[in-house]
Amino acid sequence: EIMSNSTSKQIEVYASVLEPALRRAICDDDTDVRKQATAAFATMLKSVGPSAIDSVIPSLLAALKSAVDVLGVDRAFAVMVAGNATILSDEDTDMLMSDEVTDVRQALNGIRAAVQTRPRDMVMYLMPRFTGTKVLSYMDCITLGAMSSTGGQQLAFYLNTLVPLLVQSFTVSESAVQMEEDEGLLLRAVDMCASEVLCAIQTSGVSSLIDELGKLIEGTEPPLRRLGCRLLRLFVRGTAAEYSDYLPLLLRYLLSRSCDLEDCVLREVLAALVALGASRPHDDFINHMGFMQSCLMSTVSESKHSKTTLGKFRTDADGNMLTPLFCLPKSVDPLIPIFIHALLKGSPFQREVAANCIGEVVTMTDNVVLKPYLIKTVGPLIRVMGERFDSSVKNAILNTILLILKRGG
């Protein structure tokens, strides 16, 4: 109240007194105190300009570093993730309020509150700290993860630099683990930071994010394809943004990698498909089943006739090419439940498409992988076969049953 009724000159004169008080208040555990401190900080910013940021933010970052050095990186990350959450478990609440994490908790409170005051200006001020380096450090990961919860909308404007930075950080931290230079602490830090950043992207930024991930997934280098799928998994697993309009694009990115020659890429593709299936109701996929079938068929056809992959794929007894993705254990888990749901609940046309999709997957899947699903799949097919539907639906179901009997014996 005093600051809002003071001139810029008066605030500048008493800045040396006001700034330490604001730094303490903006980190306070009481939400109302932080709210008032945030309003006061906004008033100071309006009055004295960027110098207010220079006087508050560096000291907050220094306080956070000192607190993390005492508490430890792993526990500091737990505090950061719990503090970003909108709903806390009893365990998280107890952990956040324990005396030993007070300094880290309060420093993170201050960073979140400061970013919330002026998200655009604060993100612009802090981003060079991260993008000016080739690899994120422990402290970079914690700071970036903390500011994501209140600056997510602004982060979308930096995705063209943030995503490559996360990829490079993953690459370096994974290499350090393989060479036994690090026990995986930095890798866990980068993973948690990536999750916080990607899940903070709001609906307006989803298009930009998916474009960046698509470039990675469709890239020529296997490590980039793998990390693109990993980042996509982190996004769909935890985001609150609406991305249903981009579901066909995500499916195309992932299913187009079903014939990838690198096992590490295939495993990340499968993990991303599992996360995608778990994050959306089956009904969201029903209208895209024909598209999914088309993606699989075109990928198989392209791989089968490509000079670079000729002779590198397994085939069944009839000479049908087995899709590498569907040679992994439990690899049809993300797809078969969707098709069965459509078979039992969809319109006649959707049931026909679902039966055709099941048949297509059966021809592409290794017998060992397929075996656990045979009985689960035949039952619904026979059930729908006995109902009153057009001949096209029954023909599709009959053809699929014959394929299953041929493959399963």
Side-chain angles (χ1 to χ4, degrees), residues 143-163:
T143 307
L144 182 55
M147 62 178 275
S148 297
S149 62
T150 50
Q153 187 171 1
Q154 296 301 317
L155 290 178
F157 297 106
Y158 297 90
L159 286 171
N160 61 336
T161 53
L162 271 177
V163 171

Side-chain angles (χ1 to χ4, degrees), residues 19 23 41 50-66 107 111 114 122 125-126 129 139 143:
E19 288 165 0
R23 283 197 296 269
F41 185 48
S51 61
I53 299 177
D54 292 329
S55 62
V56 172
I57 299 300
S59 60
L60 287 177
L61 295 175
L64 177 61
K65 186 179 186 309
S66 298
I111 291 172
M122 291 298 176
Y125 177 86
L126 287 167
R129 172 188 176 90
M139 282 305 305
T143 307

Side-chain angles (χ1 to χ4, degrees), residues 242-298:
E242 178 53 51
Y243 63 91
S244 57
D245 290 344
Y246 300 94
L247 198 54
L249 187 56
L250 297 180
L251 289 168
R252 180 173 70 81
Y253 284 149
L254 294 175
L255 295 178
S256 66
R257 298 261 60 90
S258 59
C259 290
D260 203 289
L261 295 175
E262 300 293 331
D263 187 69
C264 62
V265 176
L266 293 173
R267 293 189 182 280
E268 284 294 351
V269 169
L270 177 56
L273 282 171
V274 170
L276 186 62
S279 68
R280 312 293 306 185
H282 289 337
D283 287 337
D284 285 4
F285 295 89
I286 287 182
N287 290 328
H288 305 306
M289 290 186 301
F291 178 72
M292 293 163 69
Q293 180 185 10
S294 175
C295 286
L296 286 170
M297 292 175 65
S298 61

Side-chain angles (χ1 to χ4, degrees), residues 28-195:
D28 200 277
D29 287 325
D30 188 277
T31 304
D32 291 333
V33 174
R34 287 202 307 275
K35 184 177 179 181
Q36 295 302 321
T38 300
F41 185 48
T43 302
M44 179 178 280
L45 273 172
K46 186 176 180 180
S47 300
V48 303
S51 61
I53 299 177
D54 292 329
S55 62
V56 172
I57 299 300
S59 60
L60 287 177
L61 295 175
L64 177 61
K65 186 179 186 309
S66 298
V68 170
D69 289 342
V70 173
L71 184 64
V73 175
D74 257 352
R75 298 192 65 191
F77 252 103
V79 175
M80 183 272 289
V81 173
N84 283 359
T86 53
I87 300 176
L88 291 176
S89 64
D90 292 339
E91 183 180 349
D92 284 340
T93 302
D94 292 341
M95 183 267 291
L96 281 176
M97 299 312 296
S98 63
D99 292 337
E100 56 188 346
V101 304
T102 296
D103 291 342
V104 170
R105 181 185 69 242
Q106 292 182 342
L108 291 172
N109 284 344
I111 291 172
R112 293 189 193 97
V115 172
Q116 189 175 19
T117 304
R118 289 273 192 91
R120 182 174 178 273
D121 293 336
M122 291 298 176
V123 171
M124 188 181 299
Y125 177 86
L126 287 167
M127 281 307 297
R129 172 188 176 90
F130 314 118
T131 56
T133 63
K134 293 184 178 180
V135 181
L136 293 171
S137 66
Y138 299 115
M139 282 305 305
D140 290 337
C141 290
I142 293 174
T143 307
L144 182 55
M147 62 178 275
S148 297
S149 62
T150 50
Q153 187 171 1
Q154 296 301 317
L155 290 178
F157 297 106
Y158 297 90
L159 286 171
N160 61 336
T161 53
L162 271 177
V163 171
L165 179 60
L166 289 170
V167 168
Q168 182 63 18
S169 299
F170 268 119
T171 302
V172 171
S173 57
E174 287 174 345
S175 176
V177 172
Q178 292 172 357
M179 298 178 68
E180 298 184 352
E181 295 176 355
D182 183 84
E183 295 180 355
L185 188 59
L186 180 58
L187 179 58
R188 291 196 298 274
V190 173
D191 188 76
M192 285 188 281
C193 175
S195 181

